[in-house]
Amino acid sequence: MTAAPAQAASKDKPAPAPAWLLRHPLLRPLAALAVLLLIDLLAIPGFFHLSIKDGHLYGSLVDIVNRAAPLMLAALGMTLVIATRGIDISVGAVVALSGTVAAMLIGGAAQAQTPLGWAMAAAMGAALLCGLWNGVLVASLGLQPIVATLILMVAGRGLAQLLTDGQIVTVYHEPFFFLGGGHVAGLPFSLTVVAVVFAVIALMMRKTALGLFIQAVGINPVAARLAGLKTASLIVFVYVFCAACAGLAGLMISSNIKSADANNAGLLLELDAILAVTLGGTSLAGGKFSLVGSVIGALIIQTLTYTIYALGVPPEVNMVVKSVVVFLVCLSQSAQFKHLFSRARSA
Amino acid sequence: MKSPYFTPLVTLALLLAMLGIGGAVYPGLLSVQVILNLLIDNAFLLVLAIGMSFVILSGGIDLSVGSVLALATMVSAWLLQVAHWPPLAAIGLVLLLGALFGGGMGAMIHYFKLQPFIVTLAGMFLARGLCYLISINSITIDDPLYLAMSQTQLGLLGGFVSPSALIALGMLALAVFLAHFTAFGRGVYAIGGNEQSALMMGLPVARTKVLVYAFSGFCAALAGVLFSFYMLSGYGLHAQGTELDAIAAVVIGGTLLSGGYGYVAGALSGVLVLGTIQTLIAFDGTLSSWWTRIVIGALLFIFCVVQRLMAIGAARRAA
Amino acid sequence: MIEAAQAVAPVLELHGISKQFPGVNALSNVTLKLYAGEVHTLMGQNGAGKSTLIKVLTGVYAPDGGTIVMEGREIRPGSTQDAQRLGISTVYQEVNLCPNLSVAENMFIGRYPRKFGMLDWAGMRARASSLLEQLEVRIDVRAQLSSFPLAIQQMVAISRALNMSARVLILDEPTSSLDEAEVQLLFRVLRQLRDQGMAILFVTHFLDQTYAMSDRITVMRNGEREGEYACAALSRLALVNKMVGAPDASEHAPALPHPAAAHEQPATLLRARGLGRKGALAPLDLDIRAGEMLGLCGLLGSGRTEAARLLFGADKADSGTLRIGGRSHPFASPREAIAAGIGFCSEDRKHEGAILELSVRENMILAMQARAGLLRAIPLREQQALARDYVKWLGIKTADIEAPIGSLSGGNQQKVLLARWLVTRPAMLILDEPTRGIDVRAKQDIMDYVSGLCRKGMAILFISSELPEVLRCSDRLVVLRDRKACGEYQRGELDDTSVLQVIAGEAA
Amino acid sequence: AKALTIGFSQVGAESEWRTANTLSIKDAAKKEGIHLKFADAQQRQENQVKAIRSFIAQRVDVIAFSPVVESGWETVLREAKAANIPVILTDRAVNVTDPSLYVAFIGSDFVEEGRRAGRWLLERAARTPDRTFNIVELQGTVGSAPAIDRKNGFAEVIAANPKLNITRSQTGDFTRAKGKEVMEAFLKAQGKSINVLYAHNDDMAIGAIQAIEEAGLKPGVDILVISIDGVKGAFQAMIAGKMNVTVECSPLLGPQLMAIARDVVAGKPVPKRITTVEGVFPAEVAAKELPNRKY
Ligand SMILES: Nc1ncnc2c1ncn2[C@@H]1O[C@H](COP(=O)(O)OP(=O)(O)OP(=O)(O)O)[C@@H](O)[C@H]1O
Ligand SMILES: Nc1ncnc2c1ncn2[C@@H]1O[C@H](COP(=O)(O)OP(=O)(O)OP(=O)(O)O)[C@@H](O)[C@H]1O
Ligand SMILES: [Mg+2]
Ligand SMILES: [Mg+2]
């Protein structure tokens, strides 16, 4: 019951008393991120060093946000799905599919076969169709979200491979690289994309009743229906939105590596996205959610990955380190654990 | 969703239909041995799904089972081949460790009010990571008991089954007993139905929840032992992504992921459905890698949708 | 009797119990004594702290201060399990059972009968049936709990508690969803238990029930113990005054703004013909006029809720027609009904009403926002103003309009849900047990307010298990029996006794 | 005569290399008029075992497969032997106590590939005897046979020259995206001190090359790029001067497999181990070689 205040509500809280600040649900994910960055600061020389290279910012921090961009997008989409008590495990497959569609249409020459805009639109269209498919299976047929999206998780990647005959499609059309590798005002363009998506959805939460409706459907679907909500359409919408985010992430990933790798693009991205959402303080039981939290969660994950690389951790130890950190971050978020800890200290 | 009693029957009927159609299209599919192979090849998955059933019925989820399985193969291989333990002692220790691993996660989930998904996901990384700490190579097992378990063929209905398949079926019987005839099992259902109410009714929620994850860990370790009978090796890359198969099997078997509704026995039908889909594809033998995926997806889709429609229809008729 | 009881030591004593929630002093320094062989009633307005006291007593919450003494020994129940082990058996205010399990299991969970180390299913069912039989509930105990209406679930919860060989029995508003006959049955059983020496703590908002059952009354107000009285020595008026505080309690429960009466326009607003659903309700003809309050009455399970759900489109009718304001409306969903100006306040607030983690404000404006549509968000300021107004008018006791509704007391949650529909200003409002769990004072205010709306032109379909209330308020009465309408009466045609005969099917 | 039926269990379609491998086998079968039963195991050993069991049930003439891992094949191979179906391994060997469980193994030697990559670097280093080389390594999937063997082979050879040091080694999961991501981190951590990149496959190398370019360095010049597989992309990179050498690991096993399958069924003796002919292609020959590449 100590859930995040609704987006709209938090605005009108009285002046931020320190106690209120300390109880803020985003405090703990932020603290976890700060601790990770602190470790980096101490252990990795030059970690915070930023320089200007070719007119844009260059450094570890830039890498982290740039790499985290697709994950942030996927996590934003996943947040809404999870808020309705659903789950979407087809995110990785949609990533592969959209990247592939775009790369196939653009083709392997410096000149695009299909105009770039059309190719991207087609890729997003494919992603939206995937979302619609998931949404209809969940909302209209009442399949359980995990099986409904499992179908696409298995088949989606297959479709992508079918398009490419299992080959990696390398793209040579320069403008395509802007999405994942370009820079605006010295910052990675991908960050701008995430910011825009975030702004749009945050604005929707504030200016429309979407947030309220999604939470209501997630917490008590029966009561929500009796109160007159279009529960089915809402559910379809969140899956479509999630797929759109995944589609955009797919374009970003394939633009960044200048190729579409149907078999590996976005592999296990759904797990990372769900992890990011939960690290950000949103409960998988649905209801209250925090978009900012999910973004922070994604940053935590990417910072951790980057730290592991930069510290020179041997690859066979990667997983153990990752798991220990996830455990610690979780525990740091647990009020019960803090209780135990403070009791132990006072004793 | 109101008729959980019905779903397993639908699943079974659909399964038979699927095998029937498959048999008509692919000669040789309907042989006794092919059917028994479903059991032999999926014994470990069945055991995983049994443990997973309890977790899901209690309203949780356990993503670590695939990795714990791999860890169990790795630890048993190491104990046998490097530390030269007697096989039964090694098996005993592995099962114990599995239960402890699961129980530890359960305790974190319950006492620190953490989300099962995230804790078991971290558990999944941890177990796989521990495999690599033991060795990144696969370790071949040549212990005579393991060899015997691996190669013994017990005649049945003109075909044969492996001891592992029987162990898995035994486990299923035990699990059905646990779920329906013990206070523990009913407690699991109650917690899945409404944890708050279960607490108010005075159920030992803490103990039950920790035990559920311990049981799942135990099942994962047992599945690991069966897997090492099957593969005669310990390897950190074994059974990647199997947790998803186990979850899918449980859900296809008619258990609701939100907890409280379903049957443990449904796990068997779920596992057989997944196994049958694979067998059909192997018998077809013309599908490329991507078509394999698409066809698996399509079969899953048809299966789930028909299952759902029939359940809706049945609920209508009952009303 | 009271003197006799006083001579012996109490079974259970609470001393100086305090409990705080963020922003609320739910209990401060509360003292309570329970004696064997006595029914002790706890009374107080909504949010006075009754349920919290019970939860502290049974180990759900840890008290911030104070001691609990049972038979001379201090106890500290850390969980409901502890409390049960100590011999305290409880029925909580909201039905706390597992919807997915069978009725029989819900009654025996945690203490299953065993045979050869296995659960004895057959024995369990037999005993469950016979226990329910005591309360004259005859149902298939193998069926899932969720397939039964709230009232039956409540009966199951009660028989679960009766079944324990407990020393102390606590019942928090057990009668709120029961009708007269069930209440009498329950009381018969309670008296038996009392005579066997059980100490019974009972919470209700019905004065009649209080006087029918209790030996002693403790009145609570604002988290404090106002006083303890022998039942016989306290008049009803005095009791109400003690609950409300000073006679001029206007600042606690400000009077509702009374909508002015509109000129009567007896146009038929809703006309149902042959509306029915297989297995739920036989085809029903119903007319409701604007400005009319139509009462639906019948026994438990007579189909009142089903009728309401069909009218609202919560369940889809499989026969018949529905016309509203002259237009045909085959409602496929509540949404369409709401668009046509109907509101429906469900009887099951936990499952069909409250969205627990959302705030009071959000719960209140949900239906209004749904009607306005996704895109036309009601400005936050307007929402807050509305919420504050209704909190004031309905006397909702909450720390803040941004507090989650789950942190409110049961009666206050009910008021919020009522407000959800009132803010939509519907042409017709279906109220299914709208005053469940609401205290005497507020009940009067709310019914007056609703009558006022009605006079102003709103049509109201009123369902309540409290026959006097229905009789008093309704302009017209439709009686249901066995899921079929069996009579229609104008105001004044029936009185307290004849209505019972009609309902039971004894009248001609 | 009745057409020969071969049951082939493939690992999956995880890389271009694997796809080329599959294609080669399918084409060869078609050309030879052999009936091919193909099963994709999606990277899972248990699926391969299942597929082999179904081949046995269908009584194919020959079973061939690319094992996901070396160990764990005893039981099912015994079943195949009991059913008198000869087994041919491709691409990777298996670890069994009874070598008669399979008739032949066609494939590459991953350790040797690692050694070749190492030898190329040794020669290159010999040109500038005073210079030390800091090497970063992009490993394949942790625990997979090619990753382990290519690492060991390479390490074994470069141990001969103390001026060659592997300073960092991290897994890139055989993919472009991971290769790029890991290389980015390496570059930030070590900057200009990296002299050589050794990647366990071409895909990771191609990803890493992008990272090197984005860091403002010249791949192939500032940092030597060595990788394994020899896919087309690698040749194109070499022609552009961004990669220095790729060690071939040929996926084109189809024709050989079909020929041996025929021999086995005909009862002719076949060699137990058939190593495919594989080259080392430095950048100098890339332009000439590219037109000959089939994958
Ligand atoms: N979990 C909680 N968190 C915050 N406040 C709470 C919580 N539970 C109860 N309260 C507050 O404590 C006060 C007492 O509530 P309680 O439920 O005991 O009232 P009650 O006397 O049972 O009322 P009712 O007659 O409506 O059931 C109320 O103001 C309520 O808002
Ligand atoms: N005493 C009883 N014994 C057996 N079944 C009952 C009893 N009372 C109700 N039921 C069941 O209740 C269901 C009908 O409930 P419904 O919600 O229509 O009742 P209602 O008229 O709205 O009464 P209430 O609102 O008081 O629950 C039926 O399924 C019926 O079997
Ligand atoms: Mg109460
Ligand atoms: Mg009712």
Side-chain angles (χ1 to χ4, degrees):
Chain A
M1 254 171 231
T2 52
Q7 302 278 317
S10 60
K11 247 338 227 189
D12 282 70
K13 279 275 159 78
W20 168 78
L21 203 65
L22 281 179
R23 262 188 281 123
H24 197 280
L26 287 182
L27 183 80
R28 289 184 181 139
L30 268 177
L33 182 59
V35 169
L36 269 180
L37 288 173
L38 190 71
I39 294 173
D40 289 334
L41 176 68
L42 299 178
I44 304 167
F47 182 82
F48 282 88
H49 180 77
L50 290 174
S51 58
I52 303 285
K53 216 161 239 175
D54 303 336
H56 54 253
L57 230 46
Y58 177 86
S60 304
L61 288 179
V62 180
D63 279 358
I64 292 179
V65 289
N66 201 4
R67 284 279 155 233
L71 181 56
M72 288 195 259
L73 279 181
L76 281 176
M78 187 68 81
T79 309
L80 295 196
V81 171
I82 284 178
T84 62
R85 253 196 228 175
I87 198 157
D88 184 352
I89 56 172
S90 69
V91 164
V94 176
V95 162
L97 195 59
S98 85
T100 307
V101 168
M104 288 298 287
L105 288 177
I106 292 167
Q111 268 312 309
Q113 260 169 30
T114 316
L116 185 64
W118 285 114
M120 306 254 266
M124 288 306 289
L128 291 177
L129 276 182
C130 290
L132 198 61
W133 166 269
N134 284 336
V136 167
L137 287 189
V138 174
S140 309
L141 275 175
L143 286 191
Q144 297 195 53
I146 200 163
V147 253
T149 53
L150 175 70
I151 293 168
L152 198 57
M153 178 195 188
V154 180
R157 217 170 262 289
L159 280 175
Q161 281 184 305
L162 179 68
L163 290 177
T164 63
D165 263 347
Q167 301 296 317
I168 296 178
V169 184
T170 306
V171 179
Y172 296 95
H173 183 56
E174 287 282 343
F176 180 62
F177 305 152
F178 191 71
L179 179 62
H183 290 79
V184 168
L187 286 172
F189 179 61
S190 54
L191 204 57
T192 319
V193 174
V194 175
V196 167
V197 171
F198 179 84
V200 166
I201 190 74
L203 205 70
M204 262 158 83
M205 292 300 149
R206 189 140 312 176
K207 293 290 172 205
T208 74
L210 188 64
L212 175 67
F213 286 5
I214 287 178
Q215 290 177 14
V217 169
I219 298 169
N220 190 342
V222 178
R225 194 177 93 91
L226 286 180
L229 299 189
K230 287 194 220 168
T231 43
S233 327
L234 275 169
I235 289 175
V236 172
F237 168 78
V238 294
Y239 284 92
V240 170
F241 177 73
C242 182
C245 285
L248 202 50
L251 288 178
M252 206 176 259
I253 291 173
S254 59
S255 154
N256 188 279
I257 57 168
K258 304 178 181 169
S259 52
D261 181 350
N263 191 65
N264 293 307
L267 208 58
L268 296 186
L269 187 69
E270 52 276 347
L271 274 191
D272 273 344
I274 298 169
L275 186 61
V277 173
T278 30
L279 285 179
T282 299
S283 157
L284 282 170
K288 294 277 177 187
F289 61 91
S290 164
L291 292 170
V292 188
S294 301
V295 170
I296 297 175
L299 285 173
I300 292 178
I301 295 173
Q302 196 55 45
T303 309
L304 174 59
T305 313
Y306 194 91
T307 307
I308 288 175
Y309 295 155
L311 281 177
V313 173
E316 50 283 7
V317 191
N318 279 2
M319 291 249 204
V320 175
V321 175
K322 191 168 175 181
S323 64
V324 169
V325 174
V326 173
F327 273 130
L328 290 180
V329 172
C330 286
L331 283 179
S332 79
Q333 305 203 5
S334 157
Q336 281 74 14
F337 182 72
K338 232 174 62 186
H339 203 89
L340 196 79
F341 189 67
S342 57
R343 246 197 336 218
R345 219 175 24 185
S346 65
Chain B
M1 308 237 168
K2 274 260 167 86
S3 62
Y5 308 96
F6 188 67
T7 326
L9 289 180
V10 174
T11 314
L12 202 66
L14 280 174
L15 187 64
L16 292 179
M18 204 151 84
L19 279 172
I21 296 172
V25 180
Y26 307 114
L29 183 87
L30 276 187
S31 73
V32 173
Q33 192 53 48
V34 171
I35 308 293
L36 292 179
N37 278 349
L38 279 180
L39 277 179
I40 299 175
D41 292 331
N42 294 299
F44 72 95
L45 185 59
L46 177 59
V47 174
L48 278 190
I50 289 168
M52 185 69 78
S53 291
F54 278 80
V55 176
I56 291 182
L57 281 172
S58 81
I61 198 157
D62 188 351
L63 295 176
S64 72
V65 291
S67 307
V68 172
L69 184 161
L71 183 60
T73 66
M74 203 70 196
V75 172
S76 27
W78 188 84
L79 287 175
L80 292 167
Q81 303 301 126
V82 183
H84 301 292
W85 278 40
L88 287 178
I91 292 174
L93 182 69
V94 164
L95 295 181
L96 181 70
L97 287 179
L100 285 179
F101 191 93
M105 290 191 301
M108 286 185 75
I109 290 166
H110 181 78
Y111 291 107
F112 300 133
K113 300 271 169 291
L114 299 176
Q115 301 196 41
F117 189 96
I118 202 170
V119 171
T120 57
L121 183 65
M124 161 175 153
F125 293 142
L126 183 64
R128 270 235 195 258
L130 290 176
C131 291
Y132 300 137
L133 289 192
I134 296 174
S135 164
I136 55 168
N137 285 304
S138 72
I139 303 177
T140 304
I141 299 174
D142 55 14
D143 177 85
L145 177 75
Y146 274 64
L147 280 176
M149 289 305 267
S150 160
Q151 282 152 15
T152 305
Q153 302 185 339
L154 305 164
L156 184 76
L157 304 170
F160 66 88
V161 290
S162 62
S164 299
L166 294 188
I167 294 176
L169 289 178
M171 197 64 203
L172 182 69
L174 176 71
V176 169
F177 172 78
L178 265 183
H180 299 289
F181 296 98
T182 66
F184 165 73
R186 301 321 295 168
V188 171
Y189 276 86
I191 292 174
N194 189 335
E195 187 172 338
Q196 185 63 30
S197 292
L199 195 68
M200 296 286 232
M201 288 197 276
L203 281 188
V205 172
R207 193 180 70 203
T208 309
K209 268 173 82 179
V210 173
L211 276 180
V212 159
Y213 286 91
F215 182 70
S216 173
F218 172 84
C219 283
L222 179 62
V225 170
L226 298 189
F227 202 85
S228 44
F229 291 162
Y230 187 54
M231 294 297 181
L232 290 177
S233 67
Y235 189 33
L237 285 175
H238 269 329
Q240 297 235 45
T242 310
E243 52 279 343
L244 208 59
D245 290 349
I247 295 171
V250 171
V251 172
I252 291 172
T255 300
L256 287 198
L257 200 62
S258 46
Y261 295 90
Y263 286 106
V264 174
L268 178 63
S269 58
V271 165
L272 291 181
V273 168
L274 294 183
T276 307
I277 289 180
Q278 277 192 341
T279 308
L280 286 179
I281 285 172
F283 265 81
D284 181 81
T286 59
L287 298 174
S288 65
S289 302
W290 31 97
W291 275 111
T292 302
R293 284 188 164 149
I294 296 172
V295 172
I296 291 178
L299 288 178
L300 261 180
F301 169 72
I302 294 171
F303 189 88
C304 292
V305 167
V306 173
Q307 185 188 38
R308 182 78 196 118
L309 291 179
M310 287 177 72
I312 292 176
R316 263 231 188 103
R317 259 174 280 124
Chain C
M1 166 128 199
I2 285 168
E3 281 76 47
Q6 219 110 46
V8 299
V11 182
L12 196 66
E13 268 177 285
L14 306 181
H15 288 295
I17 300 287
S18 307
K19 176 76 196 171
Q20 259 137 352
F21 291 114
V24 187
N25 236 339
L27 294 174
S28 38
N29 198 21
V30 175
T31 300
L32 184 79
K33 288 195 176 79
L34 274 185
Y35 293 92
E38 176 178 276
V39 176
H40 192 131
T41 303
L42 204 52
M43 296 218 54
Q45 281 187 288
N46 294 132
K50 305 177 294 290
S51 301
T52 308
L53 187 68
I54 287 169
K55 288 185 179 168
V56 166
L57 174 56
T58 54
V60 179
Y61 296 143
D64 295 337
T67 53
I68 308 172
V69 177
M70 188 166 185
E71 293 171 336
R73 278 191 308 123
E74 185 179 337
I75 56 168
R76 286 166 191 273
S79 68
T80 46
Q81 215 183 346
D82 288 353
Q84 287 185 11
R85 237 179 269 134
L86 290 163
I88 306 175
S89 171
T90 317
V91 178
Y92 295 95
Q93 182 171 9
E94 306 291 345
V95 172
N96 276 292
L97 297 174
C98 292
N100 57 329
L101 300 183
S102 68
V103 169
E105 257 194 275
N106 266 296
M107 291 177 59
F108 286 95
I109 211 162
R111 55 210 150 83
Y112 288 102
R114 274 164 221 261
K115 207 188 218 169
F116 314 120
M118 307 199 314
L119 301 189
D120 175 13
W121 284 95
M124 182 158 86
R125 285 181 196 133
R127 280 170 59 186
S129 294
S130 71
L131 277 166
L132 282 170
E133 188 78 10
Q134 267 188 30
L135 293 172
E136 290 186 12
V137 177
R138 290 176 196 92
I139 52 174
D140 179 6
V141 294
R142 283 169 309 177
Q144 239 180 53
L145 183 82
S146 62
S147 65
F148 292 100
L150 195 61
I152 296 290
Q153 298 188 18
Q154 181 85 60
M155 296 294 251
V156 173
I158 294 170
S159 28
R160 172 184 164 81
L162 298 183
N163 157 38
M164 312 221 356
S165 47
R167 298 249 256 308
V168 178
L169 174 64
I170 301 177
L171 300 153
D172 193 352
E173 298 195 29
T175 54
S176 65
S177 32
L178 304 185
D179 70 12
E180 201 44 44
E182 270 82 22
V183 171
Q184 290 314 323
L185 281 170
L186 174 63
F187 283 2
R188 211 176 61 209
V189 177
L190 289 185
R191 285 194 195 99
Q192 266 172 27
L193 291 172
R194 177 188 65 188
D195 296 342
Q196 287 162 19
M198 196 183 264
I200 297 173
L201 181 65
F202 179 62
V203 178
T204 184
H205 287 297
F206 297 99
L207 295 183
D208 289 345
Q209 297 179 4
T210 309
Y211 283 93
M213 273 307 289
S214 8
D215 300 306
R216 195 191 302 266
I217 300 172
T218 290
V219 177
M220 294 194 56
R221 193 169 70 227
N222 283 331
E224 291 176 24
R225 190 186 84 140
E226 200 276 340
E228 187 191 284
Y229 310 91
C231 180
L234 190 67
S235 75
R236 292 187 180 218
L237 187 63
L239 173 58
V240 173
N241 280 339
K242 291 197 192 304
M243 279 163 57
V244 179
D248 60 333
S250 51
E251 61 163 20
H252 286 289
L256 290 167
H258 267 256
H263 43 280
E264 305 263 326
Q265 267 277 358
T268 300
L269 180 77
L270 176 142
R271 173 185 297 257
R273 285 292 171 267
L275 197 67
R277 181 180 160 90
K278 249 191 21 226
L281 189 72
L284 171 80
D285 294 344
L286 204 68
D287 288 301
I288 303 177
R289 281 184 285 279
E292 178 188 47
M293 185 169 313
L294 177 68
L296 265 192
C297 57
L299 293 177
L300 259 185
S302 56
R304 294 164 297 175
T305 299
E306 265 82 352
R309 290 178 63 90
L310 285 186
L311 289 176
F312 188 60
D315 295 326
K316 224 170 143 182
D318 49 20
S319 70
T321 58
L322 189 66
R323 297 177 73 83
I324 291 177
R327 283 204 303 145
S328 171
H329 279 278
F331 290 146
S333 72
R335 194 181 155 68
E336 292 168 24
I338 292 170
I342 301 187
F344 169 61
C345 193
S346 162
E347 62 176 341
D348 189 347
R349 75 169 158 256
K350 191 170 166 188
H351 296 110
E352 298 184 345
I355 299 184
L356 288 181
E357 278 110 276
L358 292 188
S359 68
V360 170
R361 170 182 58 85
E362 286 165 321
N363 267 287
M364 239 184 235
I365 58 108
L366 188 63
M368 187 186 186
Q369 179 68 68
R371 191 154 87 164
L374 176 75
L375 295 179
R376 253 166 293 142
I378 303 165
L380 190 59
R381 255 166 234 304
E382 201 175 307
Q383 295 183 20
Q384 285 169 333
L386 263 176
R388 287 209 190 91
D389 286 348
Y390 276 86
V391 163
K392 201 168 80 207
W393 292 343
L394 298 179
I396 297 172
K397 192 161 177 259
T398 170
D400 182 2
I401 55 167
E402 298 303 339
I405 192 174
S407 73
L408 266 57
S409 79
N412 284 308
Q413 290 184 15
Q414 184 70 29
K415 292 183 194 172
V416 173
L417 297 180
L418 194 59
R420 173 187 293 171
W421 294 107
L422 294 179
V423 297
T424 64
R425 307 223 149 264
M428 174 177 145
L429 190 52
I430 303 172
L431 299 173
D432 194 358
E433 312 278 1
T435 53
R436 156 166 306 158
I438 288 183
D439 67 51
V440 242
R441 169 79 185 235
K443 194 179 285 179
Q444 182 70 46
D445 289 347
I446 287 173
M447 284 322 295
D448 285 353
Y449 181 67
V450 168
S451 307
L453 289 175
C454 196
R455 250 173 288 132
K456 231 180 121 189
M458 190 188 287
I460 297 204
L461 183 68
F462 182 52
I463 303 173
S464 170
S465 301
E466 276 178 76
L467 280 177
E469 199 176 50
V470 184
L471 280 178
R472 186 167 55 81
C473 299
S474 319
D475 299 315
R476 210 150 45 90
L477 209 59
V478 171
V479 177
L480 294 178
R481 194 188 313 134
D482 294 335
R483 299 148 185 270
K484 218 174 5 207
C486 66
E488 194 180 311
Y489 303 88
Q490 295 299 323
R491 182 197 284 275
E493 276 186 64
L494 294 176
D495 61 26
D496 285 11
T497 42
S498 58
V499 73
L500 277 175
Q501 286 166 352
V502 172
I503 286 174
E506 283 160 13
Chain D
K2 174 178 148 284
L4 197 61
T5 305
I6 296 185
F8 181 74
S9 165
Q10 179 60 287
V11 173
E14 75 280 8
S15 60
E16 282 188 306
W17 187 96
R18 186 67 64 192
T19 310
N21 180 244
T22 304
L23 213 62
S24 153
I25 287 164
K26 284 193 167 173
D27 285 351
K30 198 184 273 170
K31 213 179 283 165
E32 298 260 332
I34 290 175
H35 185 64
L36 183 73
K37 288 246 162 206
F38 176 85
D40 174 284
Q42 319 228 324
Q43 273 87 286
R44 308 244 294 253
Q45 186 180 14
E46 60 271 26
N47 290 355
Q48 285 199 305
V49 174
K50 288 175 200 170
I52 293 171
R53 289 226 161 94
S54 82
F55 293 150
I56 298 173
Q58 296 176 75
R59 314 218 57 83
V60 298
D61 299 308
V62 176
I63 291 175
F65 69 105
S66 292
V68 174
V69 295
E70 292 178 347
S71 49
W73 297 102
E74 291 269 1
T75 317
V76 68
L77 293 190
R78 264 177 220 284
E79 285 171 28
K81 195 176 170 191
N84 276 322
I85 302 175
V87 172
I88 303 171
L89 307 175
T90 67
D91 179 32
R92 289 178 207 177
V94 298
N95 219 334
V96 283
T97 43
D98 175 5
S100 75
L101 289 179
Y102 64 90
V103 290
F105 160 59
I106 319 168
S108 349
D109 180 341
F110 298 137
V111 183
E112 183 56 27
E113 288 160 7
R115 288 197 198 108
R116 286 183 187 163
R119 272 185 223 120
W120 182 88
L121 184 61
L122 268 188
E123 280 166 27
R124 175 68 190 246
R127 282 195 237 154
T128 49
D130 299 332
R131 208 178 136 196
T132 55
F133 286 87
N134 292 325
I135 306 167
V136 294
E137 182 181 30
L138 286 175
Q139 298 184 21
T141 308
V142 178
S144 65
I148 296 170
D149 292 349
R150 286 172 185 171
K151 177 180 168 65
N152 291 343
F154 185 78
E156 177 193 317
V157 170
I158 62 163
N161 184 344
K163 290 208 179 318
L164 301 178
N165 306 309
I166 298 185
T167 55
R168 266 163 202 273
S169 179
Q170 182 56 263
T171 174
D173 283 338
F174 284 132
T175 68
R176 282 193 194 185
K178 277 276 170 198
K180 182 170 182 182
E181 184 177 346
V182 174
M183 193 65 199
E184 271 177 0
F186 283 171
L187 286 164
K188 300 296 177 316
Q190 288 201 282
K192 298 227 160 61
S193 72
I194 301 173
N195 310 110
V196 180
L197 164 68
Y198 169 48
H200 287 184
N201 80 347
D202 287 338
D203 283 342
M204 290 192 290
I206 292 170
I209 286 171
Q210 294 176 10
I212 297 171
E213 286 179 315
E214 280 166 25
L217 298 173
K218 284 210 174 64
V221 180
D222 297 328
I223 297 179
L224 301 179
V225 180
I226 306 171
S227 84
I228 298 181
D229 270 3
V231 301
K232 266 191 190 145
F235 281 85
Q236 282 156 346
M238 284 195 287
I239 292 169
K242 294 175 183 174
M243 195 192 267
N244 303 77
V245 65
T246 182
V247 176
E248 186 184 35
C249 173
S250 175
L252 308 177
L253 306 176
Q256 265 172 306
L257 174 63
M258 297 308 146
I260 290 167
R262 278 208 187 288
D263 289 352
V264 168
V265 174
K268 291 186 202 156
V270 292
K272 193 91 190 169
R273 171 159 182 117
I274 303 146
T275 312
T276 43
V277 202
E278 292 167 338
V280 176
F281 298 100
E284 296 77 51
V285 302
K288 196 170 87 234
E289 188 64 25
L290 180 64
N292 306 332
R293 303 309 295 176
K294 296 217 178 60
Y295 58 97

